[in-house]
Amino acid sequence: MKFLILPILVFIYIVYKRYFQVFGVPSGHLKDLQLDEVSLLDVRDYNESDKNQIKGATNIPIAYLERHFNEIPKRQIHLVASNFLEKNMGIRFLKKKGFKVVNYTIVTPNKFILKKNTIEKCC
């Protein structure tokens, strides 16, 4: 029985750290930001952020955040992510390193659908 409890606790911890929402950090819009007060941090993958660039944002994908977090300015941070998993992991990592994340934005990539041998933009 003791051997079963430890793997279950590890599983619960991993699921909590990745998928449960971080409380105390509200969603915000990029157009409402005061860029002289807040640093933009884009944790999307290079392929996604290259297609939809955000002016003034520091782009460090979530996979490289641990290696390059010292490049982030020591100001309040507005996080830009492509999904909730990146948002949760990014906010938790930055808070652990002593940064203050004031809000976040989730930017979804353009969706494309294939229709009769042509590609059309959707939504």
Side-chain angles (χ1 to χ4, degrees):
M1 185 68 173
K2 291 180 183 179
F3 299 111
L4 189 59
I5 293 174
L6 184 61
I8 290 173
L9 290 176
V10 169
F11 176 76
I12 290 172
Y13 175 74
I14 291 171
V15 169
Y16 171 78
K17 194 168 183 174
R18 287 180 158 246
Y19 298 107
F20 280 83
Q21 180 179 357
V22 178
F23 295 105
V25 181
S27 175
H29 295 286
L30 290 172
K31 61 185 173 186
D32 299 335
L33 291 177
Q34 302 287 336
L35 291 179
D36 53 340
E37 299 172 3
V38 176
S39 295
L40 287 173
L41 179 62
D42 189 353
V43 294
R44 297 178 294 161
D45 189 50
Y46 287 125
N47 293 333
E48 291 179 28
S49 63
D50 189 43
K51 293 175 187 172
N52 187 8
Q53 293 182 353
I54 298 172
K55 287 186 179 181
T58 304
N59 185 10
I60 303 174
I62 198 76
Y64 299 102
L65 200 55
E66 178 123 16
R67 283 184 247 161
H68 300 287
F69 75 91
N70 54 357
E71 298 174 11
I72 303 169
K74 300 287 184 189
R75 301 188 326 186
Q76 294 180 343
I77 295 176
H78 178 90
L79 191 76
V80 179
S82 64
N83 56 41
F84 287 101
L85 178 65
E86 285 181 353
K87 175 202 62 124
N88 290 336
M89 292 181 68
I91 291 173
R92 283 195 174 95
F93 177 81
L94 291 169
K95 282 188 170 187
K96 183 174 137 184
K97 294 296 183 182
F99 292 96
K100 180 170 172 61
V101 181
V102 291
N103 47 18
Y104 68 91
T105 300
I106 295 183
V107 179
T108 55
N110 292 336
K111 296 180 183 177
F112 291 96
I113 56 171
L114 187 62
K115 191 175 190 179
K116 294 185 182 177
N117 297 330
T118 62
I119 297 177
E120 296 179 2
K121 229 177 200 179
C122 172
C123 310

